[in-house]
Amino acid sequence: MLSDQLVVERIRRDFPIFSRLENGKPLIYLDSAATSQRPIQVINAVVEFYEKINSNVHRGLYTMSEEATEAYEAARANVSSFVGCKPEELVFTRNATEALNLVAFSWGRANIKQGDTILITQMEHHSNIIPWQILSAEKKAHLEYIRITDDGLLDPVSVEEGLGKGPKIVAITQASNVLGTINDVKAIAKKAHEAGAICLVDGAQSVPHMPINVKEIGCDFLAFSGHKMLGPMGIGGLYGEFDLLDSMPPFLTGGEMIKEVNLEGASWNDVPYKFEAGTPNVEGAIGLSAAVNYLKGIGMGWVRSHERELIARALPLMLDENGVKVYGPTNPEQRGGVISFNVEGVHAHDVAEIFDSEGITIRSGHHCAMPIMNKFGIPATARVSFYVYNYGDEINVLMNAIKKVKRVFSVG
Amino acid sequence: MDEDLYREIILDHYKHPSNFGYLPEANAKFRDSNTNCGDTIQMEVRVDGGEIRDIRFTGVGCAVCIASASLLTEKVKGAKISEVMSLGEKDVLSLLGLSSITPERGKCAMLPLKVLKASLIQFQKQA
Ligand SMILES: Cc1ncc(COP(=O)(O)O)c(C=O)c1O
């Protein structure tokens, strides 16, 4: 077995971006929860598509178009196996946001009626809140939230209360992009089914970081984004249980999603094409498939344990640092590779700016999760997030940057 | 980062802002935020005879935003509405002692002036 450090060094050589200097210093990229970097294998896969087989899919009868179609469908098969579903259960979307909207729009409008309950949580990303707010307003349905505790976990009492209301759907994130919390979605999906609901999992922050199998989780839908898992921007996926997808009306409409059209109407294409109107992001799908190969190569078990080790090292240091407030669970077992924090008396923006001067890129703001900010009574947090190319030494630079923030602002 | 961003003037005004608080006798008031970063500024202004008699502000924000609000309120006390309306990014940067700013931080720096102008526009509409 190679040591973690050696594995990471080898991985980093695949990422051209790491030759970049940030403010004259080696780039320390701690913003993978926003978007990950891409390895050369992914970049090359996209370039190769354009250089060798660029043509539309499911249309031309000529060889090159058939090759493009084959590559696109091979990408679907590869990505679907990565999350443990059948190829026809994977709809390519632009990103997790579009996948979540697809469910709210298509399944939601066909199944949610006046007075029904939709259950989500207080730790959702806006993309798993707004579609449900709009749907429930439109249908006069009730939108209920599972509360979170002060340490950023789902409140078990609130889980039971929520399920007790007989929801039609439980839509929940597997990993919080702010608190880092990993939710036991397998248990939630089971409870949701027992309560007569279907279960949608937002996998935007989990699919890139841990082994995922939708059949093992038992969820009905899973949404994720390619750009957070080493893939290109503009490609993502929705897993949907086949019979459920089959029973749903289309989402966007136009070309590709129909079987037959006459002046009176149309019949819908088969799943998953029914949900892929228009020319798809073929190079994106091919790039995502290359990303999946890359992740399979290093092993998702390794990815998860690597991030857990980084968190286990960084978290105690940050918790011990005077004047630093850390949000979310303190046990690395309950956390993904994300740490949100604030330096007392300093706005998160200023923290990020000073980090940048040290070559460290982090995110600051509300992270599209304003209900979490409200829960903790803060306008914003600074956030570091780790991925496969980060290593332990970067945590020392991170801690020094926190000390610099305190020095500049004479706090702590 | 522009190391200059955290020079004394900005840090001083961030930690000890001038004119921070509410103005009960205000007749112009506005509040706005930068959606992406959550900086929020509320301006409360007393306008008499087309001039700013008094001004206070409240809000949360980064050093650049709060310092900008503090320096701006100092500058506009006694100014005519028309003078405030003609202020722009250059003026704000010169108050902050900066020659340039990145687009993201520019939004933080400009929020207080944007809110102040909005309060005055609203005041004029009501008058
Ligand atoms: C938990 C979670 N859900 C959904 C999303 C939305 O992802 P995208 O912007 O790629 O659609 C994000 C992105 O930050 C996220 O962190």
Side-chain angles (χ1 to χ4, degrees), chain B residues 46-93:
Chain B
R46 176 72 206 187
V47 184
D48 282 319
E51 278 181 13
I52 294 176
R53 278 281 150 266
D54 206 355
I55 179 166
R56 298 272 165 79
F57 80 97
T58 47
V60 285
C62 61
V64 173
C65 179
I66 299 297
S68 168
S70 169
L71 287 155
L72 181 68
T73 52
E74 283 183 357
K75 180 176 170 75
V76 300
K77 235 184 242 186
K80 292 197 180 64
I81 291 185
S82 60
E83 288 169 348
V84 176
M85 287 306 178
S86 71
L87 293 177
E89 181 168 310
K90 271 210 184 97
D91 304 292
V92 172
L93 290 187

mmCIF file of all heavy atoms in Angstrom, chain B residues 46-93:
data_model
loop_
_atom_site.group_PDB
_atom_site.id
_atom_site.type_symbol
_atom_site.label_atom_id
_atom_site.label_comp_id
_atom_site.label_asym_id
_atom_site.label_seq_id
_atom_site.Cartn_x
_atom_site.Cartn_y
_atom_site.Cartn_z
ATOM 1 N N ARG B 46 -31.953 61.940 7.595
ATOM 2 C CA ARG B 46 -32.840 63.089 7.829
ATOM 3 C C ARG B 46 -32.533 64.130 6.753
ATOM 4 O O ARG B 46 -31.418 64.645 6.695
ATOM 5 C CB ARG B 46 -32.577 63.685 9.215
ATOM 6 C CG ARG B 46 -33.379 64.938 9.524
ATOM 7 C CD ARG B 46 -34.828 64.573 9.746
ATOM 8 N NE ARG B 46 -35.713 65.699 9.446
ATOM 9 C CZ ARG B 46 -37.016 65.690 9.684
ATOM 10 N NH1 ARG B 46 -37.584 64.619 10.195
ATOM 11 N NH2 ARG B 46 -37.749 66.741 9.399
ATOM 12 N N VAL B 47 -33.518 64.341 5.905
ATOM 13 C CA VAL B 47 -33.337 65.309 4.826
ATOM 14 C C VAL B 47 -34.134 66.566 5.155
ATOM 15 O O VAL B 47 -35.310 66.477 5.517
ATOM 16 C CB VAL B 47 -33.841 64.733 3.480
ATOM 17 C CG1 VAL B 47 -33.553 65.714 2.342
ATOM 18 C CG2 VAL B 47 -33.191 63.393 3.194
ATOM 19 N N ASP B 48 -33.484 67.738 5.069
ATOM 20 C CA ASP B 48 -34.184 69.015 5.248
ATOM 21 C C ASP B 48 -33.723 69.969 4.157
ATOM 22 O O ASP B 48 -32.516 70.148 3.970
ATOM 23 C CB ASP B 48 -33.865 69.638 6.621
ATOM 24 C CG ASP B 48 -34.651 68.954 7.740
ATOM 25 O OD1 ASP B 48 -35.842 68.654 7.521
ATOM 26 O OD2 ASP B 48 -34.057 68.698 8.805
ATOM 27 N N GLY B 49 -34.660 70.548 3.461
ATOM 28 C CA GLY B 49 -34.322 71.521 2.420
ATOM 29 C C GLY B 49 -33.365 70.980 1.383
ATOM 30 O O GLY B 49 -32.434 71.678 0.967
ATOM 31 N N GLY B 50 -33.567 69.729 1.010
ATOM 32 C CA GLY B 50 -32.729 69.153 -0.038
ATOM 33 C C GLY B 50 -31.323 68.808 0.415
ATOM 34 O O GLY B 50 -30.465 68.456 -0.393
ATOM 35 N N GLU B 51 -31.083 68.886 1.725
ATOM 36 C CA GLU B 51 -29.746 68.551 2.237
ATOM 37 C C GLU B 51 -29.821 67.461 3.288
ATOM 38 O O GLU B 51 -30.834 67.311 3.978
ATOM 39 C CB GLU B 51 -29.118 69.791 2.882
ATOM 40 C CG GLU B 51 -28.499 70.707 1.872
ATOM 41 C CD GLU B 51 -27.867 71.922 2.541
ATOM 42 O OE1 GLU B 51 -27.716 71.907 3.787
ATOM 43 O OE2 GLU B 51 -27.544 72.879 1.811
ATOM 44 N N ILE B 52 -28.738 66.725 3.395
ATOM 45 C CA ILE B 52 -28.691 65.669 4.394
ATOM 46 C C ILE B 52 -28.273 66.268 5.737
ATOM 47 O O ILE B 52 -27.113 66.634 5.929
ATOM 48 C CB ILE B 52 -27.734 64.556 3.933
ATOM 49 C CG1 ILE B 52 -28.351 63.901 2.696
ATOM 50 C CG2 ILE B 52 -27.490 63.539 5.033
ATOM 51 C CD1 ILE B 52 -27.516 62.853 2.057
ATOM 52 N N ARG B 53 -29.237 66.378 6.628
ATOM 53 C CA ARG B 53 -28.972 66.947 7.960
ATOM 54 C C ARG B 53 -28.215 65.940 8.823
ATOM 55 O O ARG B 53 -27.285 66.268 9.537
ATOM 56 C CB ARG B 53 -30.278 67.285 8.661
ATOM 57 C CG ARG B 53 -30.916 68.556 8.319
ATOM 58 C CD ARG B 53 -30.297 69.783 9.011
ATOM 59 N NE ARG B 53 -30.494 70.914 8.103
ATOM 60 C CZ ARG B 53 -29.606 71.329 7.225
ATOM 61 N NH1 ARG B 53 -28.411 70.795 7.177
ATOM 62 N NH2 ARG B 53 -29.886 72.319 6.406
ATOM 63 N N ASP B 54 -28.710 64.698 8.781
ATOM 64 C CA ASP B 54 -28.096 63.675 9.632
ATOM 65 C C ASP B 54 -28.267 62.310 8.976
ATOM 66 O O ASP B 54 -29.166 62.113 8.159
ATOM 67 C CB ASP B 54 -28.738 63.685 11.022
ATOM 68 C CG ASP B 54 -27.772 63.153 12.084
ATOM 69 O OD1 ASP B 54 -26.658 62.697 11.704
ATOM 70 O OD2 ASP B 54 -28.126 63.187 13.277
ATOM 71 N N ILE B 55 -27.413 61.387 9.354
ATOM 72 C CA ILE B 55 -27.467 60.055 8.731
ATOM 73 C C ILE B 55 -26.868 59.025 9.670
ATOM 74 O O ILE B 55 -25.886 59.282 10.373
ATOM 75 C CB ILE B 55 -26.727 60.069 7.364
ATOM 76 C CG1 ILE B 55 -26.752 58.686 6.704
ATOM 77 C CG2 ILE B 55 -25.278 60.548 7.509
ATOM 78 C CD1 ILE B 55 -26.355 58.716 5.241
ATOM 79 N N ARG B 56 -27.504 57.872 9.726
ATOM 80 C CA ARG B 56 -26.963 56.735 10.493
ATOM 81 C C ARG B 56 -27.131 55.480 9.652
ATOM 82 O O ARG B 56 -27.996 55.428 8.780
ATOM 83 C CB ARG B 56 -27.742 56.516 11.800
ATOM 84 C CG ARG B 56 -27.705 57.639 12.751
ATOM 85 C CD ARG B 56 -26.518 57.557 13.690
ATOM 86 N NE ARG B 56 -26.338 58.845 14.355
ATOM 87 C CZ ARG B 56 -27.081 59.241 15.388
ATOM 88 N NH1 ARG B 56 -27.981 58.438 15.895
ATOM 89 N NH2 ARG B 56 -26.915 60.421 15.915
ATOM 90 N N PHE B 57 -26.351 54.489 9.976
ATOM 91 C CA PHE B 57 -26.536 53.227 9.258
ATOM 92 C C PHE B 57 -26.412 52.048 10.216
ATOM 93 O O PHE B 57 -25.805 52.158 11.293
ATOM 94 C CB PHE B 57 -25.534 53.073 8.102
ATOM 95 C CG PHE B 57 -24.163 52.607 8.529
ATOM 96 C CD1 PHE B 57 -23.819 51.258 8.438
ATOM 97 C CD2 PHE B 57 -23.219 53.498 9.025
ATOM 98 C CE1 PHE B 57 -22.557 50.816 8.823
ATOM 99 C CE2 PHE B 57 -21.958 53.060 9.418
ATOM 100 C CZ PHE B 57 -21.620 51.721 9.317
ATOM 101 N N THR B 58 -27.044 50.945 9.846
ATOM 102 C CA THR B 58 -26.873 49.674 10.575
ATOM 103 C C THR B 58 -26.635 48.594 9.532
ATOM 104 O O THR B 58 -26.880 48.818 8.348
ATOM 105 C CB THR B 58 -28.139 49.299 11.366
ATOM 106 O OG1 THR B 58 -29.261 49.452 10.510
ATOM 107 C CG2 THR B 58 -28.301 50.145 12.605
ATOM 108 N N GLY B 59 -26.188 47.459 9.971
ATOM 109 C CA GLY B 59 -26.020 46.356 9.024
ATOM 110 C C GLY B 59 -24.912 45.411 9.426
ATOM 111 O O GLY B 59 -24.236 45.607 10.438
ATOM 112 N N VAL B 60 -24.780 44.372 8.634
ATOM 113 C CA VAL B 60 -23.676 43.438 8.809
ATOM 114 C C VAL B 60 -22.960 43.323 7.478
ATOM 115 O O VAL B 60 -23.587 43.350 6.423
ATOM 116 C CB VAL B 60 -24.139 42.027 9.228
ATOM 117 C CG1 VAL B 60 -24.559 41.994 10.672
ATOM 118 C CG2 VAL B 60 -25.254 41.530 8.330
ATOM 119 N N GLY B 61 -21.653 43.201 7.561
ATOM 120 C CA GLY B 61 -20.921 43.083 6.311
ATOM 121 C C GLY B 61 -19.448 42.911 6.577
ATOM 122 O O GLY B 61 -19.000 42.907 7.726
ATOM 123 N N CYS B 62 -18.710 42.772 5.488
ATOM 124 C CA CYS B 62 -17.270 42.611 5.606
ATOM 125 C C CYS B 62 -16.650 43.971 5.881
ATOM 126 O O CYS B 62 -17.317 44.994 5.896
ATOM 127 C CB CYS B 62 -16.722 42.009 4.325
ATOM 128 S SG CYS B 62 -17.020 43.049 2.900
ATOM 129 N N ALA B 63 -15.346 43.969 6.097
ATOM 130 C CA ALA B 63 -14.627 45.179 6.451
ATOM 131 C C ALA B 63 -14.819 46.266 5.398
ATOM 132 O O ALA B 63 -15.036 47.435 5.724
ATOM 133 C CB ALA B 63 -13.141 44.854 6.631
ATOM 134 N N VAL B 64 -14.739 45.872 4.134
ATOM 135 C CA VAL B 64 -14.846 46.848 3.048
ATOM 136 C C VAL B 64 -16.228 47.503 3.045
ATOM 137 O O VAL B 64 -16.362 48.717 2.894
ATOM 138 C CB VAL B 64 -14.581 46.152 1.687
ATOM 139 C CG1 VAL B 64 -14.850 47.105 0.538
ATOM 140 C CG2 VAL B 64 -13.152 45.642 1.638
ATOM 141 N N CYS B 65 -17.249 46.708 3.250
ATOM 142 C CA CYS B 65 -18.622 47.200 3.221
ATOM 143 C C CYS B 65 -18.887 48.153 4.394
ATOM 144 O O CYS B 65 -19.422 49.244 4.213
ATOM 145 C CB CYS B 65 -19.575 46.007 3.257
ATOM 146 S SG CYS B 65 -21.299 46.440 3.265
ATOM 147 N N ILE B 66 -18.520 47.739 5.577
ATOM 148 C CA ILE B 66 -18.785 48.555 6.767
ATOM 149 C C ILE B 66 -17.947 49.836 6.742
ATOM 150 O O ILE B 66 -18.436 50.924 7.047
ATOM 151 C CB ILE B 66 -18.507 47.742 8.061
ATOM 152 C CG1 ILE B 66 -19.428 46.511 8.119
ATOM 153 C CG2 ILE B 66 -18.663 48.616 9.307
ATOM 154 C CD1 ILE B 66 -20.909 46.796 8.204
ATOM 155 N N ALA B 67 -16.676 49.714 6.356
ATOM 156 C CA ALA B 67 -15.818 50.906 6.280
ATOM 157 C C ALA B 67 -16.368 51.875 5.247
ATOM 158 O O ALA B 67 -16.385 53.095 5.454
ATOM 159 C CB ALA B 67 -14.386 50.503 5.931
ATOM 160 N N SER B 68 -16.838 51.343 4.145
ATOM 161 C CA SER B 68 -17.405 52.185 3.099
ATOM 162 C C SER B 68 -18.619 52.948 3.630
ATOM 163 O O SER B 68 -18.759 54.152 3.400
ATOM 164 C CB SER B 68 -17.790 51.313 1.896
ATOM 165 O OG SER B 68 -18.583 52.023 0.999
ATOM 166 N N ALA B 69 -19.477 52.250 4.370
ATOM 167 C CA ALA B 69 -20.670 52.892 4.936
ATOM 168 C C ALA B 69 -20.270 53.983 5.922
ATOM 169 O O ALA B 69 -20.817 55.092 5.913
ATOM 170 C CB ALA B 69 -21.550 51.848 5.615
ATOM 171 N N SER B 70 -19.299 53.667 6.755
ATOM 172 C CA SER B 70 -18.850 54.611 7.766
ATOM 173 C C SER B 70 -18.275 55.876 7.122
ATOM 174 O O SER B 70 -18.648 57.006 7.458
ATOM 175 C CB SER B 70 -17.808 53.916 8.649
ATOM 176 O OG SER B 70 -17.155 54.840 9.468
ATOM 177 N N LEU B 71 -17.373 55.698 6.164
ATOM 178 C CA LEU B 71 -16.737 56.838 5.501
ATOM 179 C C LEU B 71 -17.754 57.637 4.679
ATOM 180 O O LEU B 71 -17.707 58.866 4.645
ATOM 181 C CB LEU B 71 -15.612 56.330 4.591
ATOM 182 C CG LEU B 71 -14.365 55.834 5.351
ATOM 183 C CD1 LEU B 71 -13.582 54.825 4.518
ATOM 184 C CD2 LEU B 71 -13.485 57.010 5.753
ATOM 185 N N LEU B 72 -18.671 56.919 4.073
ATOM 186 C CA LEU B 72 -19.673 57.586 3.237
ATOM 187 C C LEU B 72 -20.578 58.485 4.083
ATOM 188 O O LEU B 72 -20.848 59.636 3.722
ATOM 189 C CB LEU B 72 -20.514 56.542 2.487
ATOM 190 C CG LEU B 72 -21.581 57.083 1.553
ATOM 191 C CD1 LEU B 72 -20.960 57.782 0.350
ATOM 192 C CD2 LEU B 72 -22.499 55.963 1.063
ATOM 193 N N THR B 73 -21.025 57.950 5.215
ATOM 194 C CA THR B 73 -21.919 58.761 6.055
ATOM 195 C C THR B 73 -21.189 60.002 6.565
ATOM 196 O O THR B 73 -21.777 61.073 6.676
ATOM 197 C CB THR B 73 -22.465 57.955 7.257
ATOM 198 O OG1 THR B 73 -21.366 57.363 7.955
ATOM 199 C CG2 THR B 73 -23.410 56.855 6.789
ATOM 200 N N GLU B 74 -19.900 59.861 6.850
ATOM 201 C CA GLU B 74 -19.118 61.035 7.264
ATOM 202 C C GLU B 74 -19.110 62.078 6.146
ATOM 203 O O GLU B 74 -19.275 63.266 6.372
ATOM 204 C CB GLU B 74 -17.671 60.638 7.572
ATOM 205 C CG GLU B 74 -17.496 59.949 8.912
ATOM 206 C CD GLU B 74 -16.039 59.633 9.216
ATOM 207 O OE1 GLU B 74 -15.171 59.909 8.353
ATOM 208 O OE2 GLU B 74 -15.765 59.114 10.308
ATOM 209 N N LYS B 75 -18.896 61.583 4.932
ATOM 210 C CA LYS B 75 -18.731 62.499 3.801
ATOM 211 C C LYS B 75 -20.022 63.236 3.447
ATOM 212 O O LYS B 75 -19.986 64.422 3.114
ATOM 213 C CB LYS B 75 -18.239 61.732 2.573
ATOM 214 C CG LYS B 75 -18.057 62.639 1.353
ATOM 215 C CD LYS B 75 -17.475 61.893 0.176
ATOM 216 C CE LYS B 75 -17.531 62.729 -1.106
ATOM 217 N NZ LYS B 75 -16.521 63.811 -1.139
ATOM 218 N N VAL B 76 -21.158 62.540 3.524
ATOM 219 C CA VAL B 76 -22.374 63.145 2.962
ATOM 220 C C VAL B 76 -23.142 64.014 3.949
ATOM 221 O O VAL B 76 -24.123 64.662 3.569
ATOM 222 C CB VAL B 76 -23.346 62.086 2.376
ATOM 223 C CG1 VAL B 76 -22.661 61.301 1.267
ATOM 224 C CG2 VAL B 76 -23.863 61.164 3.469
ATOM 225 N N LYS B 77 -22.729 64.029 5.198
ATOM 226 C CA LYS B 77 -23.453 64.870 6.154
ATOM 227 C C LYS B 77 -23.335 66.326 5.701
ATOM 228 O O LYS B 77 -22.248 66.838 5.510
ATOM 229 C CB LYS B 77 -22.854 64.694 7.550
ATOM 230 C CG LYS B 77 -23.918 64.278 8.558
ATOM 231 C CD LYS B 77 -23.397 64.181 9.955
ATOM 232 C CE LYS B 77 -23.531 62.747 10.466
ATOM 233 N NZ LYS B 77 -23.171 62.625 11.874
ATOM 234 N N GLY B 78 -24.478 66.978 5.486
ATOM 235 C CA GLY B 78 -24.471 68.374 5.033
ATOM 236 C C GLY B 78 -24.499 68.515 3.522
ATOM 237 O O GLY B 78 -24.629 69.614 3.004
ATOM 238 N N ALA B 79 -24.371 67.386 2.812
ATOM 239 C CA ALA B 79 -24.335 67.468 1.343
ATOM 240 C C ALA B 79 -25.744 67.587 0.766
ATOM 241 O O ALA B 79 -26.726 67.189 1.400
ATOM 242 C CB ALA B 79 -23.651 66.233 0.771
ATOM 243 N N LYS B 80 -25.824 68.150 -0.437
ATOM 244 C CA LYS B 80 -27.102 68.229 -1.142
ATOM 245 C C LYS B 80 -27.428 66.854 -1.738
ATOM 246 O O LYS B 80 -26.516 66.094 -2.086
ATOM 247 C CB LYS B 80 -27.011 69.219 -2.301
ATOM 248 C CG LYS B 80 -26.848 70.658 -1.875
ATOM 249 C CD LYS B 80 -27.202 71.567 -3.077
ATOM 250 C CE LYS B 80 -27.071 73.041 -2.741
ATOM 251 N NZ LYS B 80 -25.672 73.441 -2.422
ATOM 252 N N ILE B 81 -28.725 66.593 -1.887
ATOM 253 C CA ILE B 81 -29.135 65.326 -2.502
ATOM 254 C C ILE B 81 -28.462 65.155 -3.859
ATOM 255 O O ILE B 81 -27.941 64.088 -4.193
ATOM 256 C CB ILE B 81 -30.679 65.251 -2.663
ATOM 257 C CG1 ILE B 81 -31.329 65.138 -1.279
ATOM 258 C CG2 ILE B 81 -31.087 64.050 -3.529
ATOM 259 C CD1 ILE B 81 -32.831 64.938 -1.305
ATOM 260 N N SER B 82 -28.462 66.218 -4.643
ATOM 261 C CA SER B 82 -27.887 66.138 -5.995
ATOM 262 C C SER B 82 -26.401 65.767 -5.933
ATOM 263 O O SER B 82 -25.896 65.055 -6.802
ATOM 264 C CB SER B 82 -28.094 67.446 -6.743
ATOM 265 O OG SER B 82 -27.460 68.489 -6.028
ATOM 266 N N GLU B 83 -25.713 66.242 -4.922
ATOM 267 C CA GLU B 83 -24.283 65.898 -4.782
ATOM 268 C C GLU B 83 -24.116 64.404 -4.508
ATOM 269 O O GLU B 83 -23.247 63.751 -5.062
ATOM 270 C CB GLU B 83 -23.646 66.712 -3.648
ATOM 271 C CG GLU B 83 -23.471 68.177 -4.001
ATOM 272 C CD GLU B 83 -23.099 69.043 -2.793
ATOM 273 O OE1 GLU B 83 -23.201 68.562 -1.630
ATOM 274 O OE2 GLU B 83 -22.725 70.192 -3.012
ATOM 275 N N VAL B 84 -24.989 63.878 -3.643
ATOM 276 C CA VAL B 84 -24.906 62.446 -3.332
ATOM 277 C C VAL B 84 -25.191 61.627 -4.589
ATOM 278 O O VAL B 84 -24.522 60.636 -4.879
ATOM 279 C CB VAL B 84 -25.907 62.062 -2.221
ATOM 280 C CG1 VAL B 84 -25.885 60.566 -1.982
ATOM 281 C CG2 VAL B 84 -25.578 62.817 -0.938
ATOM 282 N N MET B 85 -26.189 62.088 -5.353
ATOM 283 C CA MET B 85 -26.581 61.349 -6.557
ATOM 284 C C MET B 85 -25.448 61.282 -7.585
ATOM 285 O O MET B 85 -25.418 60.378 -8.405
ATOM 286 C CB MET B 85 -27.820 61.987 -7.186
ATOM 287 C CG MET B 85 -29.077 61.724 -6.397
ATOM 288 S SD MET B 85 -29.285 59.959 -6.148
ATOM 289 C CE MET B 85 -30.742 59.902 -5.181
ATOM 290 N N SER B 86 -24.569 62.255 -7.538
ATOM 291 C CA SER B 86 -23.498 62.262 -8.537
ATOM 292 C C SER B 86 -22.275 61.453 -8.085
ATOM 293 O O SER B 86 -21.301 61.324 -8.832
ATOM 294 C CB SER B 86 -23.104 63.694 -8.879
ATOM 295 O OG SER B 86 -22.426 64.256 -7.768
ATOM 296 N N LEU B 87 -22.308 60.940 -6.871
ATOM 297 C CA LEU B 87 -21.167 60.127 -6.409
ATOM 298 C C LEU B 87 -21.136 58.791 -7.146
ATOM 299 O O LEU B 87 -22.173 58.231 -7.484
ATOM 300 C CB LEU B 87 -21.271 59.865 -4.901
ATOM 301 C CG LEU B 87 -21.113 61.073 -3.970
ATOM 302 C CD1 LEU B 87 -21.309 60.639 -2.525
ATOM 303 C CD2 LEU B 87 -19.758 61.742 -4.147
ATOM 304 N N GLY B 88 -19.946 58.273 -7.390
ATOM 305 C CA GLY B 88 -19.814 56.990 -8.086
ATOM 306 C C GLY B 88 -18.712 56.138 -7.483
ATOM 307 O O GLY B 88 -18.200 56.440 -6.387
ATOM 308 N N GLU B 89 -18.355 55.094 -8.192
ATOM 309 C CA GLU B 89 -17.386 54.133 -7.667
ATOM 310 C C GLU B 89 -16.042 54.787 -7.340
ATOM 311 O O GLU B 89 -15.425 54.481 -6.321
ATOM 312 C CB GLU B 89 -17.185 52.982 -8.671
ATOM 313 C CG GLU B 89 -16.202 51.938 -8.145
ATOM 314 C CD GLU B 89 -16.198 50.645 -8.964
ATOM 315 O OE1 GLU B 89 -17.278 50.103 -9.208
ATOM 316 O OE2 GLU B 89 -15.098 50.195 -9.328
ATOM 317 N N LYS B 90 -15.610 55.708 -8.212
ATOM 318 C CA LYS B 90 -14.322 56.391 -7.981
ATOM 319 C C LYS B 90 -14.306 57.087 -6.633
ATOM 320 O O LYS B 90 -13.326 57.037 -5.906
ATOM 321 C CB LYS B 90 -14.093 57.449 -9.073
ATOM 322 C CG LYS B 90 -13.393 56.932 -10.306
ATOM 323 C CD LYS B 90 -12.566 58.072 -10.931
ATOM 324 C CE LYS B 90 -11.937 57.598 -12.223
ATOM 325 N NZ LYS B 90 -12.732 57.994 -13.405
ATOM 326 N N ASP B 91 -15.434 57.755 -6.332
ATOM 327 C CA ASP B 91 -15.494 58.502 -5.076
ATOM 328 C C ASP B 91 -15.421 57.562 -3.877
ATOM 329 O O ASP B 91 -14.746 57.843 -2.893
ATOM 330 C CB ASP B 91 -16.795 59.306 -5.021
ATOM 331 C CG ASP B 91 -16.935 60.215 -6.226
ATOM 332 O OD1 ASP B 91 -16.151 61.170 -6.330
ATOM 333 O OD2 ASP B 91 -17.809 59.934 -7.070
ATOM 334 N N VAL B 92 -16.124 56.441 -3.990
ATOM 335 C CA VAL B 92 -16.121 55.481 -2.881
ATOM 336 C C VAL B 92 -14.718 54.911 -2.691
ATOM 337 O O VAL B 92 -14.209 54.819 -1.572
ATOM 338 C CB VAL B 92 -17.146 54.348 -3.128
ATOM 339 C CG1 VAL B 92 -17.003 53.257 -2.084
ATOM 340 C CG2 VAL B 92 -18.565 54.906 -3.124
ATOM 341 N N LEU B 93 -14.070 54.551 -3.794
ATOM 342 C CA LEU B 93 -12.727 53.998 -3.689
ATOM 343 C C LEU B 93 -11.779 55.028 -3.090
ATOM 344 O O LEU B 93 -10.918 54.689 -2.281
ATOM 345 C CB LEU B 93 -12.218 53.538 -5.062
ATOM 346 C CG LEU B 93 -12.909 52.292 -5.642
ATOM 347 C CD1 LEU B 93 -12.214 51.838 -6.919
ATOM 348 C CD2 LEU B 93 -12.932 51.151 -4.638
#
